[in-house]
Amino acid sequence: MTLKIIPKTFGLAREELQLEEIKSKVADSAKGETILFPEFGAYTVEGSKMAFEELSRLSVNSGITLVTTLNLPSEDLPHAVPGRNYNTVFVFSRTGKVFSPQAKITPQSFEMKHQDEASPFINVHPYSHLNIMELSQDGMRYTAIFLVCSDLYVLQMFSYQRLTSDALICPANFGAGAEEAAENVIHYAVETGLFRQGYLCNSYQQERRGRTPLTKKVEREFHQNGRHRSFCENEMK
């Protein structure tokens, strides 16, 4: 059996609108499912606190496990500096448990320093570890790596033996065009057996007349197709 995760995206918007879209996607889903959303289900501290409370209730009430990232510290994030805010992955289990397996290693400049007064205040810190986590679903156990968006870069920094896991899970906000490169990296990693399966969920921006969207929708699952390709570390660089 394989880990079952369904990527469902949301559009870049004010935090309350993103949360409403998340709720809508959950309402259209079946009890018992696990949904992967893009990173930053909320991006400010206050918005993240509100989203944490809402998603905690929503996961239990709907019977659906939810995955996204929030701008919050987490007591159970391995190797975290206490009280420090990261772009933290949160898994809101339908059983009521909430845990944090990973945080973003490579936050972008706009996430770490408030450079534009017209932009939301984020200011998260880089996380310094890559964790391989054990997940349980329907009585089965799986090993998984969570890589948040540009953290796919770190795949080239570790050996095949260090990375090999059942699943790669990537909540993302890649800029338009970069999502294609991310799809290629995850496809290669699964095809070569580095991971048995992969999941990518990228946020989108609504098209406006005369403007190119900053991000494009991706809701994709990657599975091995029976053809095994040899892994080459240089191809990951």
Side-chain angles (χ1 to χ4, degrees):
M1 294 181 65
T2 58
L3 190 63
K4 298 174 183 176
I5 297 176
I6 302 172
K8 294 192 177 186
T9 190
F10 54 72
L12 294 177
R14 298 195 309 271
E15 291 172 297
E16 63 270 22
L17 296 179
Q18 288 187 177
L19 188 55
E20 287 305 310
E21 187 171 0
I22 288 173
K23 291 179 180 178
S24 175
K25 295 292 177 70
V26 172
D28 291 336
S29 303
K31 186 175 182 179
E33 289 181 345
T34 296
I35 302 176
L36 171 66
F37 288 105
E39 66 173 321
F40 278 139
Y43 37 82
T44 66
V45 173
E46 288 306 312
S48 292
K49 289 178 180 177
M50 182 179 298
F52 183 94
E53 297 300 324
E54 290 278 353
L55 297 178
S56 296
R57 289 192 294 267
L58 183 61
S59 58
V60 174
N61 293 339
S62 64
I64 295 171
T65 296
L66 311 174
V67 183
T68 187
T69 77
L70 299 173
N71 181 356
L72 291 175
S74 176
E75 293 182 357
D76 68 351
L77 175 63
H79 313 292
V81 176
R84 176 171 289 182
N85 278 42
Y86 301 97
N87 184 354
T88 307
V89 176
F90 284 92
V91 179
F92 298 89
S93 171
R94 59 181 180 266
T95 64
K97 182 179 179 181
V98 181
F99 63 96
S100 298
Q102 183 68 44
K104 193 171 185 178
I105 299 169
T106 62
Q108 304 304 298
S109 57
F110 71 88
E111 297 176 63
M112 293 187 290
K113 187 175 181 181
H114 196 222
Q115 299 171 320
D116 184 350
E117 291 302 319
S119 298
F121 194 93
I122 301 176
N123 282 20
V124 295
H125 291 80
Y127 183 64
S128 59
H129 286 75
L130 178 62
N131 305 311
I132 297 181
M133 307 301 295
E134 186 175 86
L135 306 178
S136 177
Q137 185 182 70
D138 299 329
M140 301 291 292
R141 294 190 177 277
Y142 306 90
T143 53
I145 289 178
F146 291 79
L147 293 177
V148 181
C149 198
S150 53
D151 284 354
L152 286 176
Y153 173 82
V154 307
L155 286 174
Q156 66 178 317
M157 302 173 66
F158 296 92
S159 68
Y160 185 96
Q161 291 74 20
R162 168 70 172 81
L163 293 170
T164 303
S165 309
D166 291 318
L168 167 61
I169 302 168
C170 184
N173 180 33
F174 284 108
E179 80 286 345
E180 295 180 8
E183 289 180 271
N184 290 338
V185 168
I186 299 174
H187 174 76
Y188 176 80
V190 172
E191 190 177 40
T192 57
L194 187 58
F195 306 102
R196 294 176 60 196
Q197 53 201 125
Y199 301 92
L200 172 63
C201 193
N202 202 61
S203 55
Y204 67 92
Q205 186 179 46
Q206 295 285 2
E207 291 191 29
R208 297 180 181 178
R209 184 176 297 178
R211 294 186 180 182
T212 301
L214 295 176
T215 59
K216 294 183 178 180
K217 173 182 177 178
V218 179
E219 299 172 327
R220 188 167 175 192
E221 302 176 28
F222 302 80
H223 299 278
Q224 293 177 347
N225 57 17
R227 294 179 297 172
H228 190 70
R229 182 176 172 187
S230 297
F231 179 83
C232 176
E233 289 190 16
N234 287 332
E235 289 194 49
M236 295 294 291
K237 298 181 179 180

